[in-house]
Amino acid sequence: MTTVPPSQPSSWHRTQRVLLLAMPSAGEMLLGMLVGLVNTYLVGHLGAASLTAVGLGVQVSMAAMVLFSAVGTGATAVTARMVGAEDVKGANRVVAQSVLIAFLCGVVSSLGLFIFAEPAMVIMGATGESLTQGVVYLRIICIVFPISSMIFVGGACLRGAGDTRTPLLVMAVVNVLNIVVAWVLVEGIGPFPALGVAGAAYGSALSRFLGGLIVFALLLRGRSGLRLRWRGLDREIMWRILRVGLPASLDQLIFRFGSLVWIRIVASLGTVAFAAHQIVLNGESISFMPGWGFAVAATTLVGQGLGARDHVRAEKDALLAFYISAVFMSIMGVIFFLFPAQIVSLFTDDADVIAMGTLPLRLIGLVQPFLAAMMVFSGSLRGAGDTLTPMLVNGASVWLLRIPLSLIVIEWFEWGLTGVWMVMALDLTVRGVVLFGQFHRGRWKTIEV
């Protein structure tokens, strides 16, 4: 019987390893998206103004949370390198410094969003009742940022160690609590008042607060070889985290603010168009589930492979993650193309919104393989510590392609929401091709973190 060397595992063993990392991460992504989807579903029947308020509020909050999500990128990459090199003490030092940075970023984000909630919603184009409800939504959910940041960063450290199941279980708890609290407070069940949009915000805030506490407690007790112990500031580790995380943070900021400008452009099409746009985004987010899962798997496996000084293994694992992801996401694309109206109707019974959202969902179904490439190869490069390349590609794409072309198709050709999503499909295709090309060049194999 032939023995396969550890550095050259069999194809089936590699496939199992990718799936064991990717599937829980995909489930975590789905559950994370489900928090927003549940809130959208619960307020959908309250009218277009409430749906717009939550949609814009979610986008603004995602931009505000970019700082500690970027810390998570650095934490995953550095933790994976430490684990690959079998440096347990180093990995634990990464956990402690990551948690500290995330907490501080959470405080800054929380204060900033609470103070500037109204200007942020105005910039996004909210007016009247949408503005009022959106400000309420933002100010409630931002209060818990310092603690909810633990979900992002603590989970990132665990994923770097190869544990994608624990973050999945935490997000399951978050979702159950969110569904119960939001449903009760939005509808006003039993002795509780009907709070509408504010009720959805309370459900999201309370559930994410609890999720952050759970992750923090698990790391204190020790999980998957990682244990949170405070040994004072470690400037070397902090710099290594930030050296990877800061470009990722800048990437997210550039892309998020570009996305906010793009969403502002879409909002100019009117409330019905934006409601349809938001629902299509929610539907599209379902396809992010496998993409995110395999991107996380690629990040972890590339980082661990490079930590073990095995470049061949790292490259093979990344490519395998892409192949499997492309299959899963292509299946999702077929579903989007064949049943767009049925998917949109899950979120609203407004005939105008359903009609307007059908073709955009079909368009995004056609480019799912390119979306898979964009996500997995971005994750692969970040796992290697190359966060600069995704930053440049994403920033150039949103500012030089998506925004100007969206303005052109709206103002010159008057193609409305369909034209905007044609641009979106082109954007995803270009990014997928370019990031694959950058991965294929192999410069990431020489990066030190």
Side-chain angles (χ1 to χ4, degrees), residues 206-253:
L206 181 60
S207 60
R208 291 186 183 276
F209 180 81
L210 179 62
L213 289 180
I214 291 173
V215 172
F216 187 75
L218 288 173
L219 289 174
L220 280 177
R221 291 184 58 188
R223 191 79 170 183
S224 302
L226 302 179
R227 190 161 188 171
L228 175 59
R229 287 292 181 269
W230 181 246
R231 308 292 185 187
L233 289 176
D234 189 326
R235 290 180 176 83
E236 178 196 354
I237 292 295
M238 291 183 75
W239 170 240
R240 293 178 68 176
I241 295 169
L242 293 174
R243 187 168 59 191
V244 176
L246 286 177
S249 177
L250 186 58
D251 175 12
Q252 289 294 311
L253 286 172

mmCIF file of all heavy atoms in Angstrom, residues 206-253:
data_model
loop_
_atom_site.group_PDB
_atom_site.id
_atom_site.type_symbol
_atom_site.label_atom_id
_atom_site.label_comp_id
_atom_site.label_asym_id
_atom_site.label_seq_id
_atom_site.Cartn_x
_atom_site.Cartn_y
_atom_site.Cartn_z
ATOM 1 N N LEU A 206 -28.982 42.965 20.004
ATOM 2 C CA LEU A 206 -28.923 42.052 21.143
ATOM 3 C C LEU A 206 -28.285 40.723 20.754
ATOM 4 O O LEU A 206 -27.451 40.171 21.495
ATOM 5 C CB LEU A 206 -30.329 41.816 21.700
ATOM 6 C CG LEU A 206 -30.425 40.895 22.928
ATOM 7 C CD1 LEU A 206 -29.609 41.474 24.085
ATOM 8 C CD2 LEU A 206 -31.883 40.695 23.345
ATOM 9 N N SER A 207 -28.639 40.213 19.582
ATOM 10 C CA SER A 207 -28.105 38.914 19.163
ATOM 11 C C SER A 207 -26.606 39.000 18.884
ATOM 12 O O SER A 207 -25.839 38.097 19.254
ATOM 13 C CB SER A 207 -28.848 38.413 17.926
ATOM 14 O OG SER A 207 -28.723 39.307 16.837
ATOM 15 N N ARG A 208 -26.155 40.054 18.246
ATOM 16 C CA ARG A 208 -24.725 40.203 17.956
ATOM 17 C C ARG A 208 -23.922 40.474 19.229
ATOM 18 O O ARG A 208 -22.762 40.049 19.339
ATOM 19 C CB ARG A 208 -24.503 41.314 16.926
ATOM 20 C CG ARG A 208 -25.024 40.947 15.543
ATOM 21 C CD ARG A 208 -24.674 41.994 14.508
ATOM 22 N NE ARG A 208 -25.243 41.673 13.206
ATOM 23 C CZ ARG A 208 -24.685 40.860 12.317
ATOM 24 N NH1 ARG A 208 -23.540 40.263 12.596
ATOM 25 N NH2 ARG A 208 -25.260 40.640 11.154
ATOM 26 N N PHE A 209 -24.524 41.162 20.186
ATOM 27 C CA PHE A 209 -23.867 41.381 21.471
ATOM 28 C C PHE A 209 -23.609 40.044 22.168
ATOM 29 O O PHE A 209 -22.504 39.773 22.638
ATOM 30 C CB PHE A 209 -24.739 42.280 22.346
ATOM 31 C CG PHE A 209 -24.154 42.569 23.698
ATOM 32 C CD1 PHE A 209 -23.183 43.547 23.862
ATOM 33 C CD2 PHE A 209 -24.576 41.860 24.812
ATOM 34 C CE1 PHE A 209 -22.638 43.818 25.121
ATOM 35 C CE2 PHE A 209 -24.046 42.116 26.063
ATOM 36 C CZ PHE A 209 -23.070 43.102 26.217
ATOM 37 N N LEU A 210 -24.634 39.202 22.190
ATOM 38 C CA LEU A 210 -24.479 37.889 22.808
ATOM 39 C C LEU A 210 -23.455 37.046 22.054
ATOM 40 O O LEU A 210 -22.624 36.359 22.669
ATOM 41 C CB LEU A 210 -25.831 37.161 22.839
ATOM 42 C CG LEU A 210 -25.809 35.743 23.436
ATOM 43 C CD1 LEU A 210 -25.375 35.779 24.894
ATOM 44 C CD2 LEU A 210 -27.182 35.083 23.310
ATOM 45 N N GLY A 211 -23.482 37.109 20.721
ATOM 46 C CA GLY A 211 -22.513 36.361 19.930
ATOM 47 C C GLY A 211 -21.085 36.777 20.237
ATOM 48 O O GLY A 211 -20.190 35.929 20.355
ATOM 49 N N GLY A 212 -20.854 38.086 20.388
ATOM 50 C CA GLY A 212 -19.523 38.565 20.729
ATOM 51 C C GLY A 212 -19.067 38.064 22.084
ATOM 52 O O GLY A 212 -17.902 37.677 22.263
ATOM 53 N N LEU A 213 -19.966 38.058 23.059
ATOM 54 C CA LEU A 213 -19.627 37.553 24.397
ATOM 55 C C LEU A 213 -19.291 36.063 24.355
ATOM 56 O O LEU A 213 -18.377 35.601 25.055
ATOM 57 C CB LEU A 213 -20.786 37.797 25.363
ATOM 58 C CG LEU A 213 -21.048 39.247 25.782
ATOM 59 C CD1 LEU A 213 -22.230 39.295 26.750
ATOM 60 C CD2 LEU A 213 -19.810 39.864 26.435
ATOM 61 N N ILE A 214 -20.011 35.301 23.563
ATOM 62 C CA ILE A 214 -19.757 33.856 23.468
ATOM 63 C C ILE A 214 -18.360 33.593 22.908
ATOM 64 O O ILE A 214 -17.599 32.773 23.437
ATOM 65 C CB ILE A 214 -20.833 33.172 22.603
ATOM 66 C CG1 ILE A 214 -22.182 33.194 23.315
ATOM 67 C CG2 ILE A 214 -20.429 31.731 22.288
ATOM 68 C CD1 ILE A 214 -23.334 32.681 22.472
ATOM 69 N N VAL A 215 -18.011 34.291 21.813
ATOM 70 C CA VAL A 215 -16.684 34.106 21.218
ATOM 71 C C VAL A 215 -15.593 34.481 22.207
ATOM 72 O O VAL A 215 -14.586 33.765 22.357
ATOM 73 C CB VAL A 215 -16.547 34.936 19.924
ATOM 74 C CG1 VAL A 215 -15.112 34.899 19.408
ATOM 75 C CG2 VAL A 215 -17.506 34.421 18.853
ATOM 76 N N PHE A 216 -15.781 35.596 22.899
ATOM 77 C CA PHE A 216 -14.791 36.041 23.886
ATOM 78 C C PHE A 216 -14.611 34.998 24.983
ATOM 79 O O PHE A 216 -13.486 34.657 25.372
ATOM 80 C CB PHE A 216 -15.248 37.377 24.493
ATOM 81 C CG PHE A 216 -14.235 38.017 25.390
ATOM 82 C CD1 PHE A 216 -13.108 38.648 24.873
ATOM 83 C CD2 PHE A 216 -14.407 37.995 26.770
ATOM 84 C CE1 PHE A 216 -12.177 39.239 25.703
ATOM 85 C CE2 PHE A 216 -13.478 38.583 27.612
ATOM 86 C CZ PHE A 216 -12.354 39.210 27.074
ATOM 87 N N ALA A 217 -15.734 34.451 25.480
ATOM 88 C CA ALA A 217 -15.671 33.440 26.543
ATOM 89 C C ALA A 217 -14.982 32.164 26.066
ATOM 90 O O ALA A 217 -14.190 31.557 26.793
ATOM 91 C CB ALA A 217 -17.086 33.130 27.045
ATOM 92 N N LEU A 218 -15.276 31.746 24.830
ATOM 93 C CA LEU A 218 -14.651 30.541 24.292
ATOM 94 C C LEU A 218 -13.138 30.700 24.173
ATOM 95 O O LEU A 218 -12.372 29.776 24.474
ATOM 96 C CB LEU A 218 -15.244 30.207 22.926
ATOM 97 C CG LEU A 218 -16.685 29.674 22.911
ATOM 98 C CD1 LEU A 218 -17.194 29.550 21.484
ATOM 99 C CD2 LEU A 218 -16.755 28.320 23.619
ATOM 100 N N LEU A 219 -12.698 31.863 23.742
ATOM 101 C CA LEU A 219 -11.260 32.095 23.613
ATOM 102 C C LEU A 219 -10.584 32.172 24.981
ATOM 103 O O LEU A 219 -9.430 31.758 25.131
ATOM 104 C CB LEU A 219 -11.003 33.372 22.815
ATOM 105 C CG LEU A 219 -11.328 33.294 21.311
ATOM 106 C CD1 LEU A 219 -11.169 34.656 20.658
ATOM 107 C CD2 LEU A 219 -10.447 32.266 20.621
ATOM 108 N N LEU A 220 -11.288 32.695 25.962
ATOM 109 C CA LEU A 220 -10.722 32.716 27.319
ATOM 110 C C LEU A 220 -10.521 31.301 27.843
ATOM 111 O O LEU A 220 -9.514 31.004 28.504
ATOM 112 C CB LEU A 220 -11.642 33.492 28.264
ATOM 113 C CG LEU A 220 -11.560 35.022 28.227
ATOM 114 C CD1 LEU A 220 -12.598 35.624 29.170
ATOM 115 C CD2 LEU A 220 -10.155 35.505 28.629
ATOM 116 N N ARG A 221 -11.469 30.423 27.585
ATOM 117 C CA ARG A 221 -11.366 29.033 28.035
ATOM 118 C C ARG A 221 -10.368 28.236 27.206
ATOM 119 O O ARG A 221 -9.766 27.277 27.685
ATOM 120 C CB ARG A 221 -12.733 28.347 27.946
ATOM 121 C CG ARG A 221 -13.769 28.859 28.936
ATOM 122 C CD ARG A 221 -15.043 28.055 28.843
ATOM 123 N NE ARG A 221 -14.790 26.623 29.092
ATOM 124 C CZ ARG A 221 -15.690 25.665 28.920
ATOM 125 N NH1 ARG A 221 -16.906 25.983 28.483
ATOM 126 N NH2 ARG A 221 -15.401 24.413 29.187
ATOM 127 N N GLY A 222 -10.199 28.621 25.962
ATOM 128 C CA GLY A 222 -9.322 27.890 25.056
ATOM 129 C C GLY A 222 -10.130 27.112 24.044
ATOM 130 O O GLY A 222 -11.062 26.383 24.401
ATOM 131 N N ARG A 223 -9.799 27.286 22.761
ATOM 132 C CA ARG A 223 -10.559 26.637 21.699
ATOM 133 C C ARG A 223 -9.657 26.376 20.501
ATOM 134 O O ARG A 223 -8.946 27.270 20.039
ATOM 135 C CB ARG A 223 -11.740 27.536 21.271
ATOM 136 C CG ARG A 223 -12.751 26.868 20.353
ATOM 137 C CD ARG A 223 -13.684 25.986 21.139
ATOM 138 N NE ARG A 223 -14.800 25.525 20.335
ATOM 139 C CZ ARG A 223 -15.786 24.785 20.816
ATOM 140 N NH1 ARG A 223 -15.787 24.428 22.098
ATOM 141 N NH2 ARG A 223 -16.771 24.394 20.045
ATOM 142 N N SER A 224 -9.655 25.137 20.032
ATOM 143 C CA SER A 224 -8.915 24.756 18.817
ATOM 144 C C SER A 224 -7.431 25.110 18.898
ATOM 145 O O SER A 224 -6.832 25.547 17.914
ATOM 146 C CB SER A 224 -9.556 25.421 17.591
ATOM 147 O OG SER A 224 -10.904 25.062 17.485
ATOM 148 N N GLY A 225 -6.860 24.939 20.075
ATOM 149 C CA GLY A 225 -5.445 25.230 20.255
ATOM 150 C C GLY A 225 -5.141 26.684 20.531
ATOM 151 O O GLY A 225 -3.986 27.045 20.777
ATOM 152 N N LEU A 226 -6.155 27.544 20.504
ATOM 153 C CA LEU A 226 -5.972 28.967 20.777
ATOM 154 C C LEU A 226 -6.512 29.300 22.155
ATOM 155 O O LEU A 226 -7.538 28.758 22.581
ATOM 156 C CB LEU A 226 -6.695 29.824 19.727
ATOM 157 C CG LEU A 226 -6.297 29.625 18.267
ATOM 158 C CD1 LEU A 226 -7.119 30.531 17.378
ATOM 159 C CD2 LEU A 226 -4.806 29.884 18.068
ATOM 160 N N ARG A 227 -5.842 30.220 22.839
ATOM 161 C CA ARG A 227 -6.310 30.639 24.149
ATOM 162 C C ARG A 227 -5.971 32.108 24.367
ATOM 163 O O ARG A 227 -4.835 32.533 24.113
ATOM 164 C CB ARG A 227 -5.682 29.794 25.250
ATOM 165 C CG ARG A 227 -6.327 30.031 26.617
ATOM 166 C CD ARG A 227 -6.021 28.903 27.561
ATOM 167 N NE ARG A 227 -6.783 29.018 28.792
ATOM 168 C CZ ARG A 227 -6.847 28.086 29.729
ATOM 169 N NH1 ARG A 227 -6.180 26.942 29.553
ATOM 170 N NH2 ARG A 227 -7.550 28.260 30.813
ATOM 171 N N LEU A 228 -6.972 32.862 24.804
ATOM 172 C CA LEU A 228 -6.797 34.294 25.016
ATOM 173 C C LEU A 228 -6.212 34.558 26.395
ATOM 174 O O LEU A 228 -6.839 34.296 27.412
ATOM 175 C CB LEU A 228 -8.144 35.012 24.875
ATOM 176 C CG LEU A 228 -8.167 36.518 25.174
ATOM 177 C CD1 LEU A 228 -7.211 37.263 24.244
ATOM 178 C CD2 LEU A 228 -9.586 37.060 25.026
ATOM 179 N N ARG A 229 -4.988 35.079 26.400
ATOM 180 C CA ARG A 229 -4.324 35.479 27.632
ATOM 181 C C ARG A 229 -3.610 36.796 27.383
ATOM 182 O O ARG A 229 -2.878 36.948 26.422
ATOM 183 C CB ARG A 229 -3.312 34.414 28.092
ATOM 184 C CG ARG A 229 -3.955 33.161 28.654
ATOM 185 C CD ARG A 229 -4.650 33.455 29.989
ATOM 186 N NE ARG A 229 -5.251 32.272 30.567
ATOM 187 C CZ ARG A 229 -6.499 31.869 30.354
ATOM 188 N NH1 ARG A 229 -7.264 32.555 29.527
ATOM 189 N NH2 ARG A 229 -6.979 30.784 30.928
ATOM 190 N N TRP A 230 -3.830 37.736 28.274
ATOM 191 C CA TRP A 230 -3.231 39.060 28.088
ATOM 192 C C TRP A 230 -1.831 39.099 28.696
ATOM 193 O O TRP A 230 -1.648 38.932 29.880
ATOM 194 C CB TRP A 230 -4.107 40.134 28.713
ATOM 195 C CG TRP A 230 -3.538 41.518 28.518
ATOM 196 C CD1 TRP A 230 -3.066 42.355 29.471
ATOM 197 C CD2 TRP A 230 -3.386 42.200 27.271
ATOM 198 N NE1 TRP A 230 -2.625 43.520 28.903
ATOM 199 C CE2 TRP A 230 -2.808 43.454 27.547
ATOM 200 C CE3 TRP A 230 -3.678 41.858 25.941
ATOM 201 C CZ2 TRP A 230 -2.518 44.378 26.553
ATOM 202 C CZ3 TRP A 230 -3.385 42.789 24.955
ATOM 203 C CH2 TRP A 230 -2.817 44.023 25.259
ATOM 204 N N ARG A 231 -0.844 39.331 27.859
ATOM 205 C CA ARG A 231 0.553 39.415 28.304
ATOM 206 C C ARG A 231 1.125 40.800 28.060
ATOM 207 O O ARG A 231 2.335 40.977 28.046
ATOM 208 C CB ARG A 231 1.404 38.378 27.557
ATOM 209 C CG ARG A 231 0.872 36.951 27.604
ATOM 210 C CD ARG A 231 0.943 36.364 28.991
ATOM 211 N NE ARG A 231 0.531 34.951 28.977
ATOM 212 C CZ ARG A 231 0.368 34.229 30.083
ATOM 213 N NH1 ARG A 231 0.577 34.779 31.276
ATOM 214 N NH2 ARG A 231 -0.007 32.962 29.995
ATOM 215 N N GLY A 232 0.264 41.780 27.857
ATOM 216 C CA GLY A 232 0.720 43.133 27.564
ATOM 217 C C GLY A 232 0.799 43.379 26.070
ATOM 218 O O GLY A 232 0.581 42.482 25.249
ATOM 219 N N LEU A 233 1.118 44.604 25.708
ATOM 220 C CA LEU A 233 1.219 44.965 24.302
ATOM 221 C C LEU A 233 2.387 44.236 23.652
ATOM 222 O O LEU A 233 3.480 44.152 24.215
ATOM 223 C CB LEU A 233 1.420 46.474 24.154
ATOM 224 C CG LEU A 233 0.217 47.376 24.468
ATOM 225 C CD1 LEU A 233 0.619 48.838 24.373
ATOM 226 C CD2 LEU A 233 -0.938 47.076 23.533
ATOM 227 N N ASP A 234 2.136 43.732 22.469
ATOM 228 C CA ASP A 234 3.170 43.068 21.688
ATOM 229 C C ASP A 234 3.250 43.802 20.347
ATOM 230 O O ASP A 234 2.505 43.517 19.410
ATOM 231 C CB ASP A 234 2.829 41.587 21.482
ATOM 232 C CG ASP A 234 3.972 40.808 20.856
ATOM 233 O OD1 ASP A 234 4.697 41.387 20.035
ATOM 234 O OD2 ASP A 234 4.128 39.616 21.197
ATOM 235 N N ARG A 235 4.144 44.773 20.279
ATOM 236 C CA ARG A 235 4.196 45.651 19.106
ATOM 237 C C ARG A 235 4.555 44.897 17.833
ATOM 238 O O ARG A 235 4.078 45.230 16.752
ATOM 239 C CB ARG A 235 5.185 46.788 19.358
ATOM 240 C CG ARG A 235 4.695 47.786 20.399
ATOM 241 C CD ARG A 235 5.706 48.905 20.625
ATOM 242 N NE ARG A 235 5.185 49.897 21.550
ATOM 243 C CZ ARG A 235 5.223 49.791 22.870
ATOM 244 N NH1 ARG A 235 5.767 48.700 23.419
ATOM 245 N NH2 ARG A 235 4.726 50.727 23.635
ATOM 246 N N GLU A 236 5.380 43.858 17.969
ATOM 247 C CA GLU A 236 5.755 43.095 16.784
ATOM 248 C C GLU A 236 4.544 42.402 16.171
ATOM 249 O O GLU A 236 4.310 42.476 14.951
ATOM 250 C CB GLU A 236 6.816 42.042 17.135
ATOM 251 C CG GLU A 236 7.208 41.174 15.945
ATOM 252 C CD GLU A 236 7.955 39.911 16.356
ATOM 253 O OE1 GLU A 236 8.273 39.749 17.548
ATOM 254 O OE2 GLU A 236 8.180 39.079 15.460
ATOM 255 N N ILE A 237 3.769 41.730 17.026
ATOM 256 C CA ILE A 237 2.581 41.024 16.531
ATOM 257 C C ILE A 237 1.541 42.008 16.023
ATOM 258 O O ILE A 237 0.905 41.790 14.971
ATOM 259 C CB ILE A 237 1.990 40.126 17.638
ATOM 260 C CG1 ILE A 237 2.928 38.969 17.949
ATOM 261 C CG2 ILE A 237 0.624 39.594 17.220
ATOM 262 C CD1 ILE A 237 3.123 37.996 16.801
ATOM 263 N N MET A 238 1.348 43.110 16.751
ATOM 264 C CA MET A 238 0.380 44.107 16.304
ATOM 265 C C MET A 238 0.759 44.634 14.926
ATOM 266 O O MET A 238 -0.112 44.813 14.057
ATOM 267 C CB MET A 238 0.292 45.252 17.308
ATOM 268 C CG MET A 238 -0.340 44.879 18.641
ATOM 269 S SD MET A 238 -0.513 46.286 19.763
ATOM 270 C CE MET A 238 -1.892 47.137 19.019
ATOM 271 N N TRP A 239 2.050 44.868 14.717
ATOM 272 C CA TRP A 239 2.487 45.375 13.425
ATOM 273 C C TRP A 239 2.265 44.343 12.334
ATOM 274 O O TRP A 239 1.844 44.680 11.226
ATOM 275 C CB TRP A 239 3.952 45.782 13.479
ATOM 276 C CG TRP A 239 4.535 46.092 12.124
ATOM 277 C CD1 TRP A 239 5.583 45.492 11.512
ATOM 278 C CD2 TRP A 239 4.060 47.095 11.197
ATOM 279 N NE1 TRP A 239 5.801 46.034 10.265
ATOM 280 C CE2 TRP A 239 4.885 47.034 10.045
ATOM 281 C CE3 TRP A 239 3.024 48.028 11.236
ATOM 282 C CZ2 TRP A 239 4.706 47.861 8.956
ATOM 283 C CZ3 TRP A 239 2.853 48.860 10.132
ATOM 284 C CH2 TRP A 239 3.679 48.776 9.021
ATOM 285 N N ARG A 240 2.511 43.066 12.623
ATOM 286 C CA ARG A 240 2.298 42.022 11.620
ATOM 287 C C ARG A 240 0.820 41.917 11.247
ATOM 288 O O ARG A 240 0.474 41.726 10.077
ATOM 289 C CB ARG A 240 2.819 40.680 12.133
ATOM 290 C CG ARG A 240 4.323 40.637 12.299
ATOM 291 C CD ARG A 240 4.811 39.317 12.856
ATOM 292 N NE ARG A 240 4.638 38.208 11.913
ATOM 293 C CZ ARG A 240 5.061 36.979 12.145
ATOM 294 N NH1 ARG A 240 5.688 36.685 13.289
ATOM 295 N NH2 ARG A 240 4.872 36.020 11.252
ATOM 296 N N ILE A 241 -0.052 42.034 12.249
ATOM 297 C CA ILE A 241 -1.495 42.007 11.982
ATOM 298 C C ILE A 241 -1.899 43.206 11.131
ATOM 299 O O ILE A 241 -2.618 43.077 10.139
ATOM 300 C CB ILE A 241 -2.292 41.986 13.294
ATOM 301 C CG1 ILE A 241 -2.025 40.689 14.064
ATOM 302 C CG2 ILE A 241 -3.792 42.148 13.022
ATOM 303 C CD1 ILE A 241 -2.559 40.714 15.486
ATOM 304 N N LEU A 242 -1.410 44.377 11.543
ATOM 305 C CA LEU A 242 -1.805 45.604 10.855
ATOM 306 C C LEU A 242 -1.174 45.710 9.474
ATOM 307 O O LEU A 242 -1.763 46.304 8.568
ATOM 308 C CB LEU A 242 -1.432 46.824 11.702
ATOM 309 C CG LEU A 242 -2.212 46.964 13.010
ATOM 310 C CD1 LEU A 242 -1.658 48.118 13.838
ATOM 311 C CD2 LEU A 242 -3.701 47.183 12.736
ATOM 312 N N ARG A 243 0.015 45.139 9.298
ATOM 313 C CA ARG A 243 0.668 45.190 7.997
ATOM 314 C C ARG A 243 -0.171 44.460 6.951
ATOM 315 O O ARG A 243 -0.220 44.859 5.777
ATOM 316 C CB ARG A 243 2.058 44.563 8.089
ATOM 317 C CG ARG A 243 2.887 44.730 6.816
ATOM 318 C CD ARG A 243 4.334 44.351 7.080
ATOM 319 N NE ARG A 243 4.459 42.969 7.534
ATOM 320 C CZ ARG A 243 5.584 42.443 8.029
ATOM 321 N NH1 ARG A 243 6.655 43.204 8.162
ATOM 322 N NH2 ARG A 243 5.632 41.177 8.400
ATOM 323 N N VAL A 244 -0.829 43.399 7.374
ATOM 324 C CA VAL A 244 -1.762 42.696 6.484
ATOM 325 C C VAL A 244 -3.135 43.355 6.515
ATOM 326 O O VAL A 244 -3.781 43.524 5.483
ATOM 327 C CB VAL A 244 -1.878 41.210 6.886
ATOM 328 C CG1 VAL A 244 -2.917 40.501 6.021
ATOM 329 C CG2 VAL A 244 -0.527 40.517 6.760
ATOM 330 N N GLY A 245 -3.575 43.752 7.722
ATOM 331 C CA GLY A 245 -4.932 44.251 7.887
ATOM 332 C C GLY A 245 -5.169 45.647 7.354
ATOM 333 O O GLY A 245 -6.249 45.945 6.853
ATOM 334 N N LEU A 246 -4.163 46.540 7.444
ATOM 335 C CA LEU A 246 -4.377 47.923 7.008
ATOM 336 C C LEU A 246 -4.668 48.045 5.517
ATOM 337 O O LEU A 246 -5.597 48.767 5.136
ATOM 338 C CB LEU A 246 -3.184 48.792 7.405
ATOM 339 C CG LEU A 246 -3.099 49.141 8.902
ATOM 340 C CD1 LEU A 246 -1.835 49.937 9.193
ATOM 341 C CD2 LEU A 246 -4.341 49.920 9.339
ATOM 342 N N PRO A 247 -3.911 47.362 4.642
ATOM 343 C CA PRO A 247 -4.324 47.401 3.235
ATOM 344 C C PRO A 247 -5.719 46.815 3.029
ATOM 345 O O PRO A 247 -6.489 47.314 2.205
ATOM 346 C CB PRO A 247 -3.251 46.549 2.529
ATOM 347 C CG PRO A 247 -2.059 46.649 3.414
ATOM 348 C CD PRO A 247 -2.625 46.674 4.817
ATOM 349 N N ALA A 248 -6.043 45.759 3.799
ATOM 350 C CA ALA A 248 -7.387 45.191 3.706
ATOM 351 C C ALA A 248 -8.425 46.194 4.187
ATOM 352 O O ALA A 248 -9.520 46.301 3.631
ATOM 353 C CB ALA A 248 -7.479 43.909 4.528
ATOM 354 N N SER A 249 -8.065 46.951 5.240
ATOM 355 C CA SER A 249 -8.959 47.985 5.748
ATOM 356 C C SER A 249 -9.155 49.080 4.714
ATOM 357 O O SER A 249 -10.277 49.534 4.457
ATOM 358 C CB SER A 249 -8.396 48.580 7.041
ATOM 359 O OG SER A 249 -9.200 49.627 7.518
ATOM 360 N N LEU A 250 -8.042 49.511 4.104
ATOM 361 C CA LEU A 250 -8.138 50.527 3.065
ATOM 362 C C LEU A 250 -8.938 50.002 1.881
ATOM 363 O O LEU A 250 -9.735 50.730 1.273
ATOM 364 C CB LEU A 250 -6.732 50.947 2.627
ATOM 365 C CG LEU A 250 -6.643 52.112 1.632
ATOM 366 C CD1 LEU A 250 -7.319 53.356 2.203
ATOM 367 C CD2 LEU A 250 -5.200 52.397 1.285
ATOM 368 N N ASP A 251 -8.718 48.729 1.550
ATOM 369 C CA ASP A 251 -9.482 48.076 0.493
ATOM 370 C C ASP A 251 -10.971 48.172 0.783
ATOM 371 O O ASP A 251 -11.770 48.596 -0.064
ATOM 372 C CB ASP A 251 -9.031 46.612 0.398
ATOM 373 C CG ASP A 251 -9.864 45.796 -0.594
ATOM 374 O OD1 ASP A 251 -10.632 46.387 -1.368
ATOM 375 O OD2 ASP A 251 -9.729 44.564 -0.576
ATOM 376 N N GLN A 252 -11.340 47.785 2.000
ATOM 377 C CA GLN A 252 -12.746 47.806 2.377
ATOM 378 C C GLN A 252 -13.308 49.223 2.382
ATOM 379 O O GLN A 252 -14.441 49.457 1.950
ATOM 380 C CB GLN A 252 -12.926 47.167 3.754
ATOM 381 C CG GLN A 252 -12.725 45.670 3.776
ATOM 382 C CD GLN A 252 -13.792 44.940 2.989
ATOM 383 O OE1 GLN A 252 -14.980 45.178 3.154
ATOM 384 N NE2 GLN A 252 -13.364 44.056 2.107
ATOM 385 N N LEU A 253 -12.522 50.182 2.885
ATOM 386 C CA LEU A 253 -12.994 51.564 2.934
ATOM 387 C C LEU A 253 -13.214 52.112 1.524
ATOM 388 O O LEU A 253 -14.241 52.729 1.235
ATOM 389 C CB LEU A 253 -11.993 52.439 3.689
ATOM 390 C CG LEU A 253 -11.964 52.276 5.207
ATOM 391 C CD1 LEU A 253 -10.794 53.043 5.805
ATOM 392 C CD2 LEU A 253 -13.283 52.756 5.824
#
